[in-house]
Structures are given as C-alpha cells and as structure tokens.
Amino acid sequence: MKGLRRVSAVAITAGAVLTAGAFTASAQAATTATPTITAKGGFVMNNGTGKSLFTKAADTRRSTGSTTKIMTARVVLAQPNLNLDAKVTVQKAYSDYIVDNNWASSAKLIVGDKVTVRQLLYGLMLPSGCDAAYALADKFGTGSTRAARVKSFIGKMNTTAKSLGLTNTHFDSFDGIGHGANYSTPRDLTKLASSAMKYSTFRTVVKTKSTKQKVTTKNGGYRYMSWTNTNPLLSGYSGTIGVKTGSGPEAKYCLVFAATRNGKTVIGTVLASSSVDNRTADAKKLLNYGFSK
C-alpha cells in the first residue's frame, strides 16, 4: 500500500507541474496577445530599431490636439545657435489668446514677465500652455508683425514635417487649436516624438513631473511659476520617459508616450480615445505589448 501511495503521489506531483506549466504558457500568451484599444488610432514601435510593433489605423489622418506641441518644441530646439536662457517678454496677446479660445490650456503666463526660452518649453510641455506656444512662435518666427511671425513659425513646422518624412501630417496652428487643416497620424506622431527625443533638453522637459521656475516680473522683481505635467504615465507606469497629452472637441483624447525598461525604449501614440482614463489604459496596454515583443 505504501508503494502505491508513493506512486500516486508522484503522479499527482507530475500532473501539478504540467498544469502549472499550462497556466504559465497561457499567461504568457495573454501578455503577448495583440491588445484591443478604445482609441480609433494607435501605433507603437521599438525606438531603437524603428520596428513597428502595433498598428491600428496608423496612417489615418486625425486631429491631434496638443500633441501638436511636440512639433512646436522640435522646431524651437532645432534653431541654429539657440540660446535657451534668452528672455522673452510675455505679451498681452498671449493671454488674450487663452481667453478667446475655450479649449486653450494655459501656463498662466503673466503679461510683462520675462521668461526664458527654456522656461517656455516647460510651460509648453507640462501644463500644455497655449500661451507658451504662442510666445515661442512669436519669438522664433520671422517677420515684422506678430501675425507674420506666427505664420512663418507654422511654416517651419510643416517644413520640418516634410524633412522627417511625415507625409500624413500638416499644421495650421502652433498649439493644436487648428483651423481645419491640423492633422497627423499615430505613425507620424510617433516618428516625430522619436526625433524630438534626440534633443537632451526635450528629454529632460518631458520626463519632468513638476517644476517651479523663477521668472522676472515687469518691475524687476521675481515670482515663481509652478507647472505640473499632464502626462499621468509619469506617475502611473514604471519606466515612462515622456511625452505629451492632447485633447480637443475633434481630437478627443490623445497621448504620445514612451518608456524604457531594461535598455529597450518603446514609443507610440493613441489618437481619438474616448476619455482620459481610456487614453491612459490604451497607452499602458500598448507599452506592455511593446515590451513583450
């Protein structure tokens, strides 16, 4: 009897191992199964190799919301002899623009303050300040009037898109509050973000959760501006290194995202997700999937 018990115990143990193995295999299959996302468009690639890892309507043109600001920053950072510490005086036109546009998010720049280009990049990318975007377009466009400078800057955005091979991208605004011709695709925005991440200043800014910046007031004193990043992945997904949220009545909810784990960087985009929470959930799914490939 003792012999029989021992044999059956061995059989049970072997069966348990087989069962555990089956569970492990199915768990691995579950993590590598192609995810379903609520966003209408999505794209993920290995940032090191450029290999596509996930596509969903990846080349369908859609409104981009404030993910447009990735290009705003990219154009600024590509300027020859860029001085990040150059001062820009905040104009009334920048704050009026916020008031006039319901969907305009604000860095709460104060008229008359002198802020540096570097600070404007933080104001642009963390709280997604449309006033900061306006200030940068005014500063780095060319022309004798503000309207001419802004038009020139948007022209630089489109020239840069062409130079990067973004064939399904066009900008008609410096901040994503478009006028009917501001669009891109998940694939193009991912490529744009990958290009922008080659600039160390961009990488530093977009991975910053919050910042407190000392700016000079009109009267020569100073004040502190505090900005918090709108990207929830910086606190909610291990390894996140950027990059930018976006939203709007036409764009719905968008997110360009990137994370690094074990030396591998996965970068991607979701466009036209149905809510802030779904946008975040979509991005996490795609990052998990990207790291599993």
Side-chain angles (χ1 to χ4, degrees):
M1 289 295 290
K2 284 182 181 176
L4 282 172
R5 282 200 192 99
R6 195 174 293 117
V7 169
S8 68
V10 169
I12 290 166
T13 304
V17 170
L18 286 170
T19 305
F23 277 129
T24 303
S26 64
Q28 287 174 340
T31 58
T32 56
T34 304
T36 300
I37 59 173
T38 61
K40 290 183 179 178
F43 180 79
V44 174
M45 74 178 188
N46 180 321
N47 194 51
T49 64
K51 182 184 177 184
S52 300
L53 304 175
F54 174 92
T55 62
K56 176 183 177 181
D59 300 306
T60 300
R61 297 174 176 181
R62 298 186 189 281
S63 178
T64 57
S66 285
T67 61
T68 296
K69 290 168 181 149
I70 297 170
M71 181 60 93
T72 309
R74 172 68 173 71
V75 168
V76 169
L77 290 168
Q79 296 302 301
N81 305 312
L82 176 65
N83 178 7
L84 289 166
D85 296 316
K87 295 280 182 74
V88 176
T89 301
V90 178
Q91 304 295 315
K92 185 173 182 292
Y94 312 156
S95 56
D96 287 348
Y97 178 80
I98 298 294
V99 174
D100 293 342
N101 290 276
N102 290 336
W103 275 84
S105 44
S106 176
K108 296 182 168 57
L109 299 179
I110 295 171
V111 177
D113 281 4
K114 290 180 173 60
V115 295
T116 66
V117 171
R118 191 193 312 274
Q119 289 169 336
L120 284 173
L121 288 170
Y122 278 100
L124 174 78
M125 299 305 287
L126 272 65
S128 197
C130 295
D131 44 356
Y134 196 167
L136 289 166
D138 192 9
K139 165 74 173 172
F140 291 101
T142 55
S144 57
T145 66
R146 183 173 293 119
R149 290 190 291 274
V150 166
K151 184 178 180 181
S152 159
F153 186 87
I154 295 167
K156 290 181 182 182
M157 294 170 72
N158 287 314
T159 299
T160 303
K162 284 180 184 171
S163 72
L164 294 174
L166 310 182
T167 55
N168 287 306
T169 296
H170 185 268
F171 300 105
D172 68 0
S173 74
F174 47 74
D175 58 358
I177 300 178
H179 309 283
N182 206 90
Y183 58 80
S184 189
T185 68
R187 190 191 307 272
D188 276 8
L189 276 175
T190 303
K191 288 181 178 179
L192 168 59
S194 179
S195 170
M197 291 291 264
K198 291 175 182 173
Y199 293 87
S200 60
T201 299
F202 187 88
R203 292 196 302 274
T204 298
V205 169
V206 297
K207 74 178 181 185
T208 301
K209 292 180 184 177
S210 63
T211 187
K212 195 173 183 180
Q213 298 281 333
K214 185 178 181 179
V215 304
T216 306
T217 65
K218 180 165 58 176
N219 298 325
Y222 65 87
R223 77 173 93 246
Y224 285 97
M225 303 295 290
S226 295
W227 294 311
T228 301
N229 204 314
T230 57
N231 183 358
L233 295 180
L234 289 167
S235 301
Y237 191 88
S238 175
T240 296
I241 56 173
V243 296
K244 186 73 186 74
T245 59
S247 61
E250 191 181 353
K252 304 304 179 190
Y253 298 93
C254 314
L255 182 57
V256 182
F257 51 86
T260 300
R261 289 183 178 178
N262 300 318
K264 177 182 178 179
T265 298
V266 172
I267 189 165
T269 300
V270 289
L271 290 183
S273 198
S274 53
S275 69
V276 169
D277 288 344
N278 285 338
R279 169 179 74 183
T280 306
D282 286 343
K284 287 180 178 179
K285 283 182 189 178
L286 295 185
L287 282 166
N288 287 338
Y289 183 68
F291 284 120
S292 75
K293 302 301 283 180

